[in-house]
mmCIF file with all atom_site columns, all heavy atoms in Angstrom:
data_model
loop_
_atom_site.group_PDB
_atom_site.id
_atom_site.type_symbol
_atom_site.label_atom_id
_atom_site.label_alt_id
_atom_site.label_comp_id
_atom_site.label_asym_id
_atom_site.label_entity_id
_atom_site.label_seq_id
_atom_site.pdbx_PDB_ins_code
_atom_site.Cartn_x
_atom_site.Cartn_y
_atom_site.Cartn_z
_atom_site.occupancy
_atom_site.B_iso_or_equiv
_atom_site.pdbx_formal_charge
_atom_site.auth_seq_id
_atom_site.auth_comp_id
_atom_site.auth_asym_id
_atom_site.auth_atom_id
_atom_site.pdbx_PDB_model_num
ATOM 1   N N   . ASN B 1 311 ? -13.257 -5.062  31.335 1.00 81.00 ? 311 ASN B N   1
ATOM 2   C CA  . ASN B 1 311 ? -13.382 -6.408  30.773 1.00 81.00 ? 311 ASN B CA  1
ATOM 3   C C   . ASN B 1 311 ? -13.441 -7.463  31.859 1.00 81.00 ? 311 ASN B C   1
ATOM 4   O O   . ASN B 1 311 ? -14.300 -8.343  31.853 1.00 81.00 ? 311 ASN B O   1
ATOM 5   C CB  . ASN B 1 311 ? -12.179 -6.737  29.889 1.00 81.00 ? 311 ASN B CB  1
ATOM 6   C CG  . ASN B 1 311 ? -12.308 -6.113  28.535 1.00 81.00 ? 311 ASN B CG  1
ATOM 7   O OD1 . ASN B 1 311 ? -13.377 -5.621  28.191 1.00 81.00 ? 311 ASN B OD1 1
ATOM 8   N ND2 . ASN B 1 311 ? -11.235 -6.120  27.770 1.00 81.00 ? 311 ASN B ND2 1
ATOM 9   N N   . MET B 1 312 ? -12.484 -7.375  32.775 1.00 87.00 ? 312 MET B N   1
ATOM 10  C CA  . MET B 1 312 ? -12.401 -8.374  33.833 1.00 87.00 ? 312 MET B CA  1
ATOM 11  C C   . MET B 1 312 ? -13.652 -8.314  34.707 1.00 87.00 ? 312 MET B C   1
ATOM 12  O O   . MET B 1 312 ? -14.215 -9.336  35.073 1.00 87.00 ? 312 MET B O   1
ATOM 13  C CB  . MET B 1 312 ? -11.153 -8.124  34.692 1.00 87.00 ? 312 MET B CB  1
ATOM 14  C CG  . MET B 1 312 ? -9.867  -8.480  33.989 1.00 87.00 ? 312 MET B CG  1
ATOM 15  S SD  . MET B 1 312 ? -9.774  -10.272 33.742 1.00 87.00 ? 312 MET B SD  1
ATOM 16  C CE  . MET B 1 312 ? -9.075  -10.361 32.125 1.00 87.00 ? 312 MET B CE  1
ATOM 17  N N   . ASN B 1 313 ? -14.063 -7.106  35.007 1.00 83.00 ? 313 ASN B N   1
ATOM 18  C CA  . ASN B 1 313 ? -15.234 -6.938  35.862 1.00 83.00 ? 313 ASN B CA  1
ATOM 19  C C   . ASN B 1 313 ? -16.486 -7.504  35.194 1.00 83.00 ? 313 ASN B C   1
ATOM 20  O O   . ASN B 1 313 ? -17.344 -8.089  35.838 1.00 83.00 ? 313 ASN B O   1
ATOM 21  C CB  . ASN B 1 313 ? -15.417 -5.451  36.166 1.00 83.00 ? 313 ASN B CB  1
ATOM 22  C CG  . ASN B 1 313 ? -15.938 -5.228  37.560 1.00 83.00 ? 313 ASN B CG  1
ATOM 23  O OD1 . ASN B 1 313 ? -15.641 -6.014  38.462 1.00 83.00 ? 313 ASN B OD1 1
ATOM 24  N ND2 . ASN B 1 313 ? -16.726 -4.189  37.743 1.00 83.00 ? 313 ASN B ND2 1
ATOM 25  N N   . ARG B 1 314 ? -16.553 -7.330  33.889 1.00 78.00 ? 314 ARG B N   1
ATOM 26  C CA  . ARG B 1 314 ? -17.700 -7.824  33.140 1.00 78.00 ? 314 ARG B CA  1
ATOM 27  C C   . ARG B 1 314 ? -17.723 -9.355  33.151 1.00 78.00 ? 314 ARG B C   1
ATOM 28  O O   . ARG B 1 314 ? -18.762 -9.977  33.372 1.00 78.00 ? 314 ARG B O   1
ATOM 29  C CB  . ARG B 1 314 ? -17.617 -7.299  31.708 1.00 78.00 ? 314 ARG B CB  1
ATOM 30  C CG  . ARG B 1 314 ? -18.798 -7.591  30.828 1.00 78.00 ? 314 ARG B CG  1
ATOM 31  C CD  . ARG B 1 314 ? -18.634 -6.878  29.484 1.00 78.00 ? 314 ARG B CD  1
ATOM 32  N NE  . ARG B 1 314 ? -17.275 -7.011  28.969 1.00 78.00 ? 314 ARG B NE  1
ATOM 33  C CZ  . ARG B 1 314 ? -16.835 -8.080  28.311 1.00 78.00 ? 314 ARG B CZ  1
ATOM 34  N NH1 . ARG B 1 314 ? -17.628 -9.091  28.071 1.00 78.00 ? 314 ARG B NH1 1
ATOM 35  N NH2 . ARG B 1 314 ? -15.587 -8.131  27.888 1.00 78.00 ? 314 ARG B NH2 1
ATOM 36  N N   . LEU B 1 315 ? -16.534 -9.974  32.948 1.00 84.00 ? 315 LEU B N   1
ATOM 37  C CA  . LEU B 1 315 ? -16.469 -11.431 32.979 1.00 84.00 ? 315 LEU B CA  1
ATOM 38  C C   . LEU B 1 315 ? -16.832 -11.959 34.362 1.00 84.00 ? 315 LEU B C   1
ATOM 39  O O   . LEU B 1 315 ? -17.583 -12.912 34.524 1.00 84.00 ? 315 LEU B O   1
ATOM 40  C CB  . LEU B 1 315 ? -15.056 -11.910 32.624 1.00 84.00 ? 315 LEU B CB  1
ATOM 41  C CG  . LEU B 1 315 ? -14.599 -11.698 31.182 1.00 84.00 ? 315 LEU B CG  1
ATOM 42  C CD1 . LEU B 1 315 ? -13.147 -12.104 31.018 1.00 84.00 ? 315 LEU B CD1 1
ATOM 43  C CD2 . LEU B 1 315 ? -15.474 -12.514 30.238 1.00 84.00 ? 315 LEU B CD2 1
ATOM 44  N N   . LEU B 1 316 ? -16.281 -11.266 35.350 1.00 84.00 ? 316 LEU B N   1
ATOM 45  C CA  . LEU B 1 316 ? -16.438 -11.707 36.724 1.00 84.00 ? 316 LEU B CA  1
ATOM 46  C C   . LEU B 1 316 ? -17.887 -11.698 37.192 1.00 84.00 ? 316 LEU B C   1
ATOM 47  O O   . LEU B 1 316 ? -18.353 -12.610 37.865 1.00 84.00 ? 316 LEU B O   1
ATOM 48  C CB  . LEU B 1 316 ? -15.573 -10.784 37.584 1.00 84.00 ? 316 LEU B CB  1
ATOM 49  C CG  . LEU B 1 316 ? -15.422 -10.953 39.071 1.00 84.00 ? 316 LEU B CG  1
ATOM 50  C CD1 . LEU B 1 316 ? -14.011 -10.574 39.430 1.00 84.00 ? 316 LEU B CD1 1
ATOM 51  C CD2 . LEU B 1 316 ? -16.371 -10.053 39.822 1.00 84.00 ? 316 LEU B CD2 1
ATOM 52  N N   . THR B 1 317 ? -18.603 -10.661 36.802 1.00 75.00 ? 317 THR B N   1
ATOM 53  C CA  . THR B 1 317 ? -19.986 -10.526 37.261 1.00 75.00 ? 317 THR B CA  1
ATOM 54  C C   . THR B 1 317 ? -20.943 -11.045 36.202 1.00 75.00 ? 317 THR B C   1
ATOM 55  O O   . THR B 1 317 ? -22.057 -10.558 36.078 1.00 75.00 ? 317 THR B O   1
ATOM 56  C CB  . THR B 1 317 ? -20.304 -9.048  37.536 1.00 75.00 ? 317 THR B CB  1
ATOM 57  O OG1 . THR B 1 317 ? -19.986 -8.303  36.367 1.00 75.00 ? 317 THR B OG1 1
ATOM 58  C CG2 . THR B 1 317 ? -19.520 -8.503  38.685 1.00 75.00 ? 317 THR B CG2 1
ATOM 59  N N   . ARG B 1 318 ? -20.487 -12.060 35.452 1.00 69.00 ? 318 ARG B N   1
ATOM 60  C CA  . ARG B 1 318 ? -21.185 -12.486 34.239 1.00 69.00 ? 318 ARG B CA  1
ATOM 61  C C   . ARG B 1 318 ? -22.691 -12.689 34.418 1.00 69.00 ? 318 ARG B C   1
ATOM 62  O O   . ARG B 1 318 ? -23.482 -12.271 33.606 1.00 69.00 ? 318 ARG B O   1
ATOM 63  C CB  . ARG B 1 318 ? -20.557 -13.760 33.712 1.00 69.00 ? 318 ARG B CB  1
ATOM 64  C CG  . ARG B 1 318 ? -21.061 -14.148 32.340 1.00 69.00 ? 318 ARG B CG  1
ATOM 65  C CD  . ARG B 1 318 ? -20.320 -15.341 31.829 1.00 69.00 ? 318 ARG B CD  1
ATOM 66  N NE  . ARG B 1 318 ? -20.323 -16.394 32.833 1.00 69.00 ? 318 ARG B NE  1
ATOM 67  C CZ  . ARG B 1 318 ? -19.989 -17.644 32.562 1.00 69.00 ? 318 ARG B CZ  1
ATOM 68  N NH1 . ARG B 1 318 ? -19.610 -17.964 31.357 1.00 69.00 ? 318 ARG B NH1 1
ATOM 69  N NH2 . ARG B 1 318 ? -20.007 -18.552 33.501 1.00 69.00 ? 318 ARG B NH2 1
ATOM 70  N N   . ASN B 1 319 ? -23.019 -13.354 35.494 1.00 46.00 ? 319 ASN B N   1
ATOM 71  C CA  . ASN B 1 319 ? -24.439 -13.683 35.620 1.00 46.00 ? 319 ASN B CA  1
ATOM 72  C C   . ASN B 1 319 ? -25.255 -12.629 36.348 1.00 46.00 ? 319 ASN B C   1
ATOM 73  O O   . ASN B 1 319 ? -26.431 -12.777 36.550 1.00 46.00 ? 319 ASN B O   1
ATOM 74  C CB  . ASN B 1 319 ? -24.582 -15.049 36.276 1.00 46.00 ? 319 ASN B CB  1
ATOM 75  C CG  . ASN B 1 319 ? -23.911 -16.105 35.418 1.00 46.00 ? 319 ASN B CG  1
ATOM 76  O OD1 . ASN B 1 319 ? -24.038 -16.075 34.198 1.00 46.00 ? 319 ASN B OD1 1
ATOM 77  N ND2 . ASN B 1 319 ? -23.162 -16.994 36.037 1.00 46.00 ? 319 ASN B ND2 1
ATOM 78  N N   . LYS B 1 320 ? -24.557 -11.577 36.761 1.00 44.00 ? 320 LYS B N   1
ATOM 79  C CA  . LYS B 1 320 ? -25.279 -10.505 37.447 1.00 44.00 ? 320 LYS B CA  1
ATOM 80  C C   . LYS B 1 320 ? -25.599 -9.394  36.461 1.00 44.00 ? 320 LYS B C   1
ATOM 81  O O   . LYS B 1 320 ? -25.756 -9.637  35.274 1.00 44.00 ? 320 LYS B O   1
ATOM 82  C CB  . LYS B 1 320 ? -24.456 -9.989  38.623 1.00 44.00 ? 320 LYS B CB  1
ATOM 83  C CG  . LYS B 1 320 ? -24.208 -11.076 39.668 1.00 44.00 ? 320 LYS B CG  1
ATOM 84  C CD  . LYS B 1 320 ? -23.332 -10.531 40.760 1.00 44.00 ? 320 LYS B CD  1
ATOM 85  C CE  . LYS B 1 320 ? -22.392 -11.600 41.292 1.00 44.00 ? 320 LYS B CE  1
ATOM 86  N NZ  . LYS B 1 320 ? -21.240 -11.012 41.942 1.00 44.00 ? 320 LYS B NZ  1
ATOM 87  N N   . ASN B 1 321 ? -25.707 -8.173  36.970 1.00 40.00 ? 321 ASN B N   1
ATOM 88  C CA  . ASN B 1 321 ? -26.111 -7.087  36.076 1.00 40.00 ? 321 ASN B CA  1
ATOM 89  C C   . ASN B 1 321 ? -25.030 -6.754  35.058 1.00 40.00 ? 321 ASN B C   1
ATOM 90  O O   . ASN B 1 321 ? -24.140 -5.973  35.286 1.00 40.00 ? 321 ASN B O   1
ATOM 91  C CB  . ASN B 1 321 ? -26.485 -5.843  36.880 1.00 40.00 ? 321 ASN B CB  1
ATOM 92  C CG  . ASN B 1 321 ? -25.434 -5.537  37.917 1.00 40.00 ? 321 ASN B CG  1
ATOM 93  O OD1 . ASN B 1 321 ? -24.493 -6.304  38.088 1.00 40.00 ? 321 ASN B OD1 1
ATOM 94  N ND2 . ASN B 1 321 ? -25.579 -4.425  38.596 1.00 40.00 ? 321 ASN B ND2 1
ATOM 95  N N   . CYS B 1 322 ? -25.147 -7.400  33.957 1.00 44.00 ? 322 CYS B N   1
ATOM 96  C CA  . CYS B 1 322 ? -24.173 -7.273  32.887 1.00 44.00 ? 322 CYS B CA  1
ATOM 97  C C   . CYS B 1 322 ? -24.262 -5.880  32.272 1.00 44.00 ? 322 CYS B C   1
ATOM 98  O O   . CYS B 1 322 ? -25.338 -5.359  32.042 1.00 44.00 ? 322 CYS B O   1
ATOM 99  C CB  . CYS B 1 322 ? -24.475 -8.320  31.850 1.00 44.00 ? 322 CYS B CB  1
ATOM 100 S SG  . CYS B 1 322 ? -23.612 -8.107  30.328 1.00 44.00 ? 322 CYS B SG  1
ATOM 101 N N   . SER B 1 323 ? -23.114 -5.284  32.018 1.00 52.00 ? 323 SER B N   1
ATOM 102 C CA  . SER B 1 323 ? -23.153 -3.915  31.495 1.00 52.00 ? 323 SER B CA  1
ATOM 103 C C   . SER B 1 323 ? -23.189 -3.919  29.968 1.00 52.00 ? 323 SER B C   1
ATOM 104 O O   . SER B 1 323 ? -22.801 -2.974  29.328 1.00 52.00 ? 323 SER B O   1
ATOM 105 C CB  . SER B 1 323 ? -21.951 -3.124  31.990 1.00 52.00 ? 323 SER B CB  1
ATOM 106 O OG  . SER B 1 323 ? -20.777 -3.568  31.357 1.00 52.00 ? 323 SER B OG  1
ATOM 107 N N   . GLY B 1 324 ? -23.653 -4.990  29.385 1.00 62.00 ? 324 GLY B N   1
ATOM 108 C CA  . GLY B 1 324 ? -23.806 -5.022  27.937 1.00 62.00 ? 324 GLY B CA  1
ATOM 109 C C   . GLY B 1 324 ? -22.660 -5.727  27.244 1.00 62.00 ? 324 GLY B C   1
ATOM 110 O O   . GLY B 1 324 ? -21.657 -6.057  27.849 1.00 62.00 ? 324 GLY B O   1
ATOM 111 N N   . ASP B 1 325 ? -22.831 -5.952  25.955 1.00 77.00 ? 325 ASP B N   1
ATOM 112 C CA  . ASP B 1 325 ? -21.798 -6.645  25.202 1.00 77.00 ? 325 ASP B CA  1
ATOM 113 C C   . ASP B 1 325 ? -20.674 -5.696  24.875 1.00 77.00 ? 325 ASP B C   1
ATOM 114 O O   . ASP B 1 325 ? -20.899 -4.581  24.446 1.00 77.00 ? 325 ASP B O   1
ATOM 115 C CB  . ASP B 1 325 ? -22.402 -7.197  23.911 1.00 77.00 ? 325 ASP B CB  1
ATOM 116 C CG  . ASP B 1 325 ? -23.312 -8.354  24.209 1.00 77.00 ? 325 ASP B CG  1
ATOM 117 O OD1 . ASP B 1 325 ? -24.506 -8.115  24.507 1.00 77.00 ? 325 ASP B OD1 1
ATOM 118 O OD2 . ASP B 1 325 ? -22.823 -9.483  24.174 1.00 77.00 ? 325 ASP B OD2 1
ATOM 119 N N   . CYS B 1 326 ? -19.471 -6.176  25.078 1.00 79.00 ? 326 CYS B N   1
ATOM 120 C CA  . CYS B 1 326 ? -18.326 -5.296  24.889 1.00 79.00 ? 326 CYS B CA  1
ATOM 121 C C   . CYS B 1 326 ? -17.573 -5.643  23.620 1.00 79.00 ? 326 CYS B C   1
ATOM 122 O O   . CYS B 1 326 ? -17.339 -6.805  23.323 1.00 79.00 ? 326 CYS B O   1
ATOM 123 C CB  . CYS B 1 326 ? -17.413 -5.398  26.091 1.00 79.00 ? 326 CYS B CB  1
ATOM 124 S SG  . CYS B 1 326 ? -16.084 -4.213  26.005 1.00 79.00 ? 326 CYS B SG  1
ATOM 125 N N   . TYR B 1 327 ? -17.259 -4.627  22.857 1.00 85.00 ? 327 TYR B N   1
ATOM 126 C CA  . TYR B 1 327 ? -16.443 -4.797  21.669 1.00 85.00 ? 327 TYR B CA  1
ATOM 127 C C   . TYR B 1 327 ? -15.102 -4.143  21.947 1.00 85.00 ? 327 TYR B C   1
ATOM 128 O O   . TYR B 1 327 ? -15.018 -2.930  22.096 1.00 85.00 ? 327 TYR B O   1
ATOM 129 C CB  . TYR B 1 327 ? -17.114 -4.140  20.461 1.00 85.00 ? 327 TYR B CB  1
ATOM 130 C CG  . TYR B 1 327 ? -18.414 -4.815  20.084 1.00 85.00 ? 327 TYR B CG  1
ATOM 131 C CD1 . TYR B 1 327 ? -19.568 -4.599  20.834 1.00 85.00 ? 327 TYR B CD1 1
ATOM 132 C CD2 . TYR B 1 327 ? -18.466 -5.686  19.001 1.00 85.00 ? 327 TYR B CD2 1
ATOM 133 C CE1 . TYR B 1 327 ? -20.752 -5.230  20.514 1.00 85.00 ? 327 TYR B CE1 1
ATOM 134 C CE2 . TYR B 1 327 ? -19.652 -6.322  18.670 1.00 85.00 ? 327 TYR B CE2 1
ATOM 135 C CZ  . TYR B 1 327 ? -20.789 -6.092  19.425 1.00 85.00 ? 327 TYR B CZ  1
ATOM 136 O OH  . TYR B 1 327 ? -21.953 -6.723  19.099 1.00 85.00 ? 327 TYR B OH  1
ATOM 137 N N   . GLN B 1 328 ? -14.052 -4.972  22.071 1.00 80.00 ? 328 GLN B N   1
ATOM 138 C CA  . GLN B 1 328 ? -12.757 -4.467  22.500 1.00 80.00 ? 328 GLN B CA  1
ATOM 139 C C   . GLN B 1 328 ? -11.852 -4.201  21.306 1.00 80.00 ? 328 GLN B C   1
ATOM 140 O O   . GLN B 1 328 ? -11.610 -5.085  20.501 1.00 80.00 ? 328 GLN B O   1
ATOM 141 C CB  . GLN B 1 328 ? -12.115 -5.516  23.414 1.00 80.00 ? 328 GLN B CB  1
ATOM 142 C CG  . GLN B 1 328 ? -10.784 -5.098  23.980 1.00 80.00 ? 328 GLN B CG  1
ATOM 143 C CD  . GLN B 1 328 ? -10.918 -3.906  24.911 1.00 80.00 ? 328 GLN B CD  1
ATOM 144 O OE1 . GLN B 1 328 ? -11.703 -3.931  25.847 1.00 80.00 ? 328 GLN B OE1 1
ATOM 145 N NE2 . GLN B 1 328 ? -10.167 -2.856  24.644 1.00 80.00 ? 328 GLN B NE2 1
ATOM 146 N N   . GLY B 1 329 ? -11.384 -2.968  21.195 1.00 82.00 ? 329 GLY B N   1
ATOM 147 C CA  . GLY B 1 329 ? -10.409 -2.660  20.157 1.00 82.00 ? 329 GLY B CA  1
ATOM 148 C C   . GLY B 1 329 ? -9.108  -2.242  20.805 1.00 82.00 ? 329 GLY B C   1
ATOM 149 O O   . GLY B 1 329 ? -9.032  -2.142  22.028 1.00 82.00 ? 329 GLY B O   1
ATOM 150 N N   . ILE B 1 330 ? -8.082  -1.992  20.013 1.00 80.00 ? 330 ILE B N   1
ATOM 151 C CA  . ILE B 1 330 ? -6.826  -1.504  20.589 1.00 80.00 ? 330 ILE B CA  1
ATOM 152 C C   . ILE B 1 330 ? -6.997  -0.025  20.894 1.00 80.00 ? 330 ILE B C   1
ATOM 153 O O   . ILE B 1 330 ? -7.241  0.775   20.006 1.00 80.00 ? 330 ILE B O   1
ATOM 154 C CB  . ILE B 1 330 ? -5.648  -1.712  19.612 1.00 80.00 ? 330 ILE B CB  1
ATOM 155 C CG1 . ILE B 1 330 ? -5.476  -3.207  19.336 1.00 80.00 ? 330 ILE B CG1 1
ATOM 156 C CG2 . ILE B 1 330 ? -4.364  -1.114  20.176 1.00 80.00 ? 330 ILE B CG2 1
ATOM 157 C CD1 . ILE B 1 330 ? -4.448  -3.515  18.276 1.00 80.00 ? 330 ILE B CD1 1
ATOM 158 N N   . GLY B 1 331 ? -6.883  0.315   22.152 1.00 80.00 ? 331 GLY B N   1
ATOM 159 C CA  . GLY B 1 331 ? -6.997  1.711   22.549 1.00 80.00 ? 331 GLY B CA  1
ATOM 160 C C   . GLY B 1 331 ? -8.413  2.235   22.570 1.00 80.00 ? 331 GLY B C   1
ATOM 161 O O   . GLY B 1 331 ? -8.629  3.435   22.717 1.00 80.00 ? 331 GLY B O   1
ATOM 162 N N   . CYS B 1 332 ? -9.405  1.376   22.415 1.00 87.00 ? 332 CYS B N   1
ATOM 163 C CA  . CYS B 1 332 ? -10.781 1.851   22.452 1.00 87.00 ? 332 CYS B CA  1
ATOM 164 C C   . CYS B 1 332 ? -11.726 0.665   22.642 1.00 87.00 ? 332 CYS B C   1
ATOM 165 O O   . CYS B 1 332 ? -11.312 -0.483  22.523 1.00 87.00 ? 332 CYS B O   1
ATOM 166 C CB  . CYS B 1 332 ? -11.128 2.570   21.158 1.00 87.00 ? 332 CYS B CB  1
ATOM 167 S SG  . CYS B 1 332 ? -10.973 1.504   19.721 1.00 87.00 ? 332 CYS B SG  1
ATOM 168 N N   . SER B 1 333 ? -12.963 0.951   22.955 1.00 87.00 ? 333 SER B N   1
ATOM 169 C CA  . SER B 1 333 ? -13.948 -0.122  23.035 1.00 87.00 ? 333 SER B CA  1
ATOM 170 C C   . SER B 1 333 ? -15.355 0.445   22.941 1.00 87.00 ? 333 SER B C   1
ATOM 171 O O   . SER B 1 333 ? -15.576 1.640   23.142 1.00 87.00 ? 333 SER B O   1
ATOM 172 C CB  . SER B 1 333 ? -13.779 -0.903  24.344 1.00 87.00 ? 333 SER B CB  1
ATOM 173 O OG  . SER B 1 333 ? -14.051 -0.068  25.438 1.00 87.00 ? 333 SER B OG  1
ATOM 174 N N   . LEU B 1 334 ? -16.283 -0.429  22.607 1.00 91.00 ? 334 LEU B N   1
ATOM 175 C CA  . LEU B 1 334 ? -17.692 -0.041  22.527 1.00 91.00 ? 334 LEU B CA  1
ATOM 176 C C   . LEU B 1 334 ? -18.476 -0.996  23.402 1.00 91.00 ? 334 LEU B C   1
ATOM 177 O O   . LEU B 1 334 ? -18.149 -2.179  23.472 1.00 91.00 ? 334 LEU B O   1
ATOM 178 C CB  . LEU B 1 334 ? -18.201 -0.194  21.093 1.00 91.00 ? 334 LEU B CB  1
ATOM 179 C CG  . LEU B 1 334 ? -17.549 0.682   20.021 1.00 91.00 ? 334 LEU B CG  1
ATOM 180 C CD1 . LEU B 1 334 ? -18.019 0.245   18.638 1.00 91.00 ? 334 LEU B CD1 1
ATOM 181 C CD2 . LEU B 1 334 ? -17.923 2.137   20.261 1.00 91.00 ? 334 LEU B CD2 1
ATOM 182 N N   . SER B 1 335 ? -19.512 -0.486  24.100 1.00 89.00 ? 335 SER B N   1
ATOM 183 C CA  . SER B 1 335 ? -20.396 -1.469  24.707 1.00 89.00 ? 335 SER B CA  1
ATOM 184 C C   . SER B 1 335 ? -21.827 -1.248  24.238 1.00 89.00 ? 335 SER B C   1
ATOM 185 O O   . SER B 1 335 ? -22.359 -0.140  24.283 1.00 89.00 ? 335 SER B O   1
ATOM 186 C CB  . SER B 1 335 ? -20.280 -1.494  26.233 1.00 89.00 ? 335 SER B CB  1
ATOM 187 O OG  . SER B 1 335 ? -20.333 -0.214  26.755 1.00 89.00 ? 335 SER B OG  1
ATOM 188 N N   . ALA B 1 336 ? -22.406 -2.326  23.761 1.00 92.00 ? 336 ALA B N   1
ATOM 189 C CA  . ALA B 1 336 ? -23.773 -2.307  23.261 1.00 92.00 ? 336 ALA B CA  1
ATOM 190 C C   . ALA B 1 336 ? -24.682 -2.530  24.453 1.00 92.00 ? 336 ALA B C   1
ATOM 191 O O   . ALA B 1 336 ? -24.576 -3.543  25.130 1.00 92.00 ? 336 ALA B O   1
ATOM 192 C CB  . ALA B 1 336 ? -23.955 -3.412  22.236 1.00 92.00 ? 336 ALA B CB  1
#
Side-chain angles (χ1 to χ4, degrees):
Chain B
N311 280 349
M312 288 292 140
N313 215 31
R314 186 174 44 82
L315 291 175
L316 183 145
T317 54
R318 190 175 51 166
N319 299 318
K320 298 177 215 158
N321 48 355
C322 168
S323 72
D325 289 86
C326 186
Y327 295 76
Q328 182 65 54
I330 298 174
C332 60
S333 64
L334 297 171
S335 48

